[in-house]
Amino acid sequence: MTRSKNANNPPQYQGILTETSQLGFDMASVVHIGSLLRTLVASKPAASFLELGTGSGLALSWLLDGMDWHAEITSIDNDTEVIGIADEYLGSNSRANIICTNGGLWIQENKHRKFDLIFADTWPGKYEHLQESLHMVQDGGFYVIDDMHPHSLWTETHAEKALKLVGYLDARDDFQLTKMEWASGIIVTAKLNSPNIG
């Protein structure tokens, strides 16, 4: 199998999307973030990636579509029903290690590992265990989060956490950050080899 052309969705995307809709899962990543992730991982040959929040595998299908055949990705989720869709469509891909477990515990047990891109699409790695996750980013690697636009379903506590998270990332001098007013609200950061001094 070859990677799809830039203009196309990943080969498994439509099947995953159909089953996701049938299941009624409404927290799936949108096409825009998938396309961005595919581009970012394509810049990292023979690399190691981490997705926190597999969901049904929509974003994972984009990530795999951009990865070369020497790269690998670990994807974590604790929802057995939803992650089952990802496993059905993507579990046979030798580059993917899909794990159903508690994300926070997994981060604690694997915080010594390094990744060239971390996509944090759930609370562990974003609102919880953030410092450990940022430490796991390889120098020159990316840390990406989405769903940062205020949403009608957000509680006041969630909104406060989001603002605090953005402020924390802004204040760090070991990551270069871009906030994108696009799709669900995306933040892309790149880890610097040393603190930026100008």
Side-chain angles (χ1 to χ4, degrees):
M1 185 196 312
T2 58
R3 284 182 285 172
S4 61
K5 295 179 181 178
N6 288 337
N8 297 335
N9 293 342
Q12 308 89 350
Y13 182 84
Q14 190 55 51
I16 296 172
L17 183 62
T18 298
E19 290 205 29
T20 301
S21 299
Q22 292 172 348
L23 189 63
F25 181 66
D26 60 359
M27 298 295 289
S29 296
V30 297
V31 168
H32 300 83
I33 183 66
S35 179
L36 174 63
L37 290 169
R38 178 167 66 180
T39 299
L40 292 176
V41 297
S43 74
K44 302 287 186 183
S48 183
F49 306 114
L50 173 64
E51 179 185 35
L52 296 166
T54 312
S56 61
L58 286 170
L60 181 57
S61 72
W62 288 95
L63 287 156
L64 285 165
D65 202 44
M67 291 163 48
D68 71 17
W69 290 100
H70 301 288
E72 61 178 11
I73 185 165
T74 300
S75 187
I76 308 294
D77 207 301
N78 68 349
D79 188 323
T80 55
E81 186 174 26
V82 175
I83 203 174
I85 299 175
D87 197 48
E88 175 188 353
Y89 283 89
L90 305 170
S92 62
N93 192 311
S94 61
R95 298 169 299 159
N97 184 21
I98 301 171
I99 303 172
C100 187
T101 190
N102 179 283
L105 290 176
W106 189 92
I107 291 170
Q108 286 293 338
E109 293 171 358
N110 293 273
K111 59 186 177 183
H112 59 284
R113 296 178 62 182
K114 294 290 184 181
F115 296 93
D116 296 283
L117 178 144
I118 294 178
F119 175 44
D121 192 27
T122 188
W123 282 61
K126 185 192 292 187
Y127 297 115
E128 302 166 359
H129 307 284
L130 174 60
Q131 291 190 37
E132 293 93 333
S133 297
L134 294 176
H135 180 72
M136 294 166 78
V137 180
Q138 189 74 259
D139 287 351
F142 297 109
Y143 172 81
V144 183
I145 54 177
D146 67 346
D147 298 323
M148 298 308 294
H149 277 165
H151 193 281
S152 60
L153 296 178
W154 279 14
T155 63
E156 184 176 335
T157 303
H158 191 157
E160 290 174 358
K161 285 183 178 293
L163 285 172
K164 185 177 179 180
L165 171 60
V166 175
Y168 176 77
L169 292 173
D170 255 332
R172 290 188 68 120
D173 62 0
D174 56 344
F175 281 84
Q176 187 67 54
L177 176 146
T178 294
K179 291 172 274 188
M180 305 172 69
E181 295 294 326
W182 181 59
S184 62
I186 300 166
I187 295 179
V188 178
T189 73
K191 190 169 189 178
L192 304 173
N193 290 328
S194 59
N196 187 5
I197 57 174

